[in-house]
Amino acid sequence: NAGVMQNPRHLVRRRGQEARLRCSPMKGHSHVYWYRQLPEEGLKFMVYLQKENIIDESGMPKERFSAEFPKEGPSILRIQQVVRGDSAAYFCASSPPGQGWETQYFGPGTRLLVL
Amino acid sequence: GEDVEQSLFLSVREGDSSVINCTYTDSSSTYLYWYKQEPGAGLQLLTYIFSNMDMKQDQRLTVLLNKKDKHLSLRIADTQTGDSAIYFCAGNNDYKLSFGAGTTVTVRA
């Protein structure tokens, strides 16, 4: 059973470009969470999605950031018009349906560098 | 939101015990977690403790929780070179996990 997959593992963008980060949850998991880790800090919650639904996006910046988890395919975290402050590691986690959120399984992360 | 703090570095000799400490602010956390991250890899859930427990033991790992002081610790017995990694403690606010900045554990021969 493959774990949570994220790609790309490393992404370099110039200021003003768009970044798309992908996350495929573990098989059978229908809940996806995105976290961001800024340098020298712990991971911070961004958004919680179920298939075709955003459940909680309280940790997402109001502008330029969006997330989706379509019926088919991976979850996508999209950052438009990136700025240097977006440079961070972005981790995705998944959990099984029901009350499975207490055990979240993390992917390897995408390291975004904005030049 | 929850603030979680932990020391940044720990150096330990192979075979000794490691103790990683963590403090948190949100007393409503129902679960407290320890994750391990090896270079280039994702966060691996090591263990977690329910907030009404004081202690949990799992092979070489012992978790102690002092709810009054909001202090969590992870003890690794007989530390091995494969235990070198970054260790994160985390608390939850429902499904939202809040992490410390991580403790880098270096095991020396």
Side-chain angles (χ1 to χ4, degrees):
Chain A
N1 187 9
V4 177
M5 312 280 283
Q6 289 187 250
N7 68 79
R9 297 289 301 274
H10 299 274
L11 183 61
V12 179
R13 285 286 177 265
R14 296 194 180 279
R15 281 178 294 170
Q17 291 184 318
E18 179 180 284
R20 277 183 184 246
L21 288 63
R22 293 175 190 76
C23 169
S24 297
M26 284 180 73
K27 190 176 178 181
H29 287 193
S30 55
H31 297 197
V32 165
Y33 316 81
W34 285 93
Y35 290 81
R36 177 166 68 172
Q37 184 183 25
L38 294 170
E40 310 294 321
E41 295 186 14
L43 284 72
K44 296 284 192 285
F45 170 82
M46 297 180 75
V47 61
Y48 165 32
L49 308 109
Q50 296 176 17
K51 286 279 187 183
E52 299 184 280
N53 278 309
I54 297 173
I55 306 302
D56 182 347
E57 55 182 351
S58 59
M60 287 257 281
K62 294 284 184 279
E63 296 177 354
R64 303 187 297 108
F65 283 71
S66 61
E68 62 176 8
F69 188 18
K71 190 176 177 183
E72 303 290 338
S75 175
I76 307 283
L77 179 68
R78 183 178 175 215
I79 312 172
Q80 295 178 289
Q81 299 175 326
V82 296
V83 300
R84 288 225 173 101
D86 297 332
S87 294
Y90 293 82
F91 290 92
C92 164
S94 71
S95 66
Q99 195 71 15
W101 55 260
E102 66 267 17
T103 49
Q104 296 180 21
Y105 296 86
F106 282 78
T110 295
R111 272 84 180 162
L112 172 66
L113 176 63
V114 179
L115 300 177
Chain B
E2 170 105 75
D3 280 332
V4 180
E5 292 195 0
Q6 49 185 129
S7 52
L8 292 181
F9 300 100
L10 176 68
S11 178
V12 63
R13 193 160 30 193
E14 192 175 6
D16 287 352
S17 292
S18 310
V19 179
I20 309 168
N21 294 300
C22 172
T23 57
Y24 61 97
T25 57
D26 189 348
S27 56
S28 66
S29 289
T30 48
Y31 295 93
L32 293 135
Y33 303 83
W34 285 103
Y35 281 84
K36 176 184 179 183
Q37 184 182 33
E38 295 180 77
L43 277 71
Q44 173 198 352
L45 178 61
L46 281 179
T47 186
Y48 64 95
I49 188 168
F50 194 53
S51 59
N52 68 356
M53 297 169 65
D54 299 324
M55 185 182 89
K56 181 178 179 181
Q57 188 147 4
D58 184 0
Q59 299 182 331
R60 292 191 298 121
L61 304 179
T62 304
V63 179
L64 294 178
L65 175 61
N66 181 329
K67 227 183 155 180
K68 174 175 164 288
D69 294 340
K70 299 192 185 77
H71 182 267
L72 181 74
S73 68
L74 175 69
R75 178 176 179 268
I76 306 172
D78 187 25
T79 311
Q80 302 298 307
T81 54
D83 296 324
S84 291
I86 303 174
Y87 291 81
F88 293 91
C89 67
N92 78 300
N93 176 358
D94 201 359
Y95 45 75
K96 300 179 199 178
L97 303 187
S98 292
F99 289 79
T103 299
T104 299
V105 173
T106 303
V107 181
R108 59 187 193 277

